[in-house]
């Protein structure tokens, strides 16, 4: 797992090329060294209006509040 969000997004983006569907699997451990990139990933997904999986918040409980979809109304 890259330690910054730009490298991670670049790597994931290379899975689907030339209009083909690509799949990526990322393994992450419940360690503090992954907390920053997970926070950045959650922030990026929310910014792009992509649903954040609930299990991501359970992996790092102090980030769980970022995984909850906020009401825009």
């Amino acid at each position: 797992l890259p330690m910054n969000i730009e490298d991670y997004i670049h790597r994931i983006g290379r899975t689907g090329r030339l209009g083909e569907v690509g799949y990526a699997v990322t393994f992450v451990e419940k360690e503090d060294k992954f907390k920053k990139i997970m926070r950045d990933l959650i922030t990026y997904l929310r910014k792009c209006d992509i649903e954040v999986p609930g299990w991501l918040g359970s992996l790092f409980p102090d980030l769980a509040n970022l995984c909850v979809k906020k009401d825009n109304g």
Side-chain angles (χ1 to χ4, degrees):
L1 180 66
M3 297 317 288
N4 68 65
I5 195 67
E6 291 83 12
D7 289 344
Y8 179 76
I9 291 170
H10 175 75
R11 188 176 294 174
I12 295 301
R14 297 188 58 81
T15 62
R17 305 292 283 179
L18 302 171
E20 296 295 321
V21 174
Y23 298 95
V25 176
T26 300
F27 295 96
V28 64
E29 295 181 57
K30 190 177 179 176
E31 294 182 23
D32 284 342
K33 69 180 181 179
F34 295 115
K35 195 177 295 186
K36 181 186 182 316
I37 192 163
M38 290 296 105
R39 181 183 300 111
D40 293 345
L41 177 60
I42 292 166
T43 301
Y44 183 82
L45 292 173
R46 302 247 350 228
K47 180 179 174 183
C48 294
D49 202 28
I50 298 171
E51 184 175 346
V52 178
W55 61 261
L56 200 52
S58 65
L59 187 61
F60 296 98
D62 54 326
L63 300 180
N65 65 322
L66 295 175
C67 296
V68 177
K69 189 168 186 160
K70 293 190 166 83
D71 183 14
N72 292 331

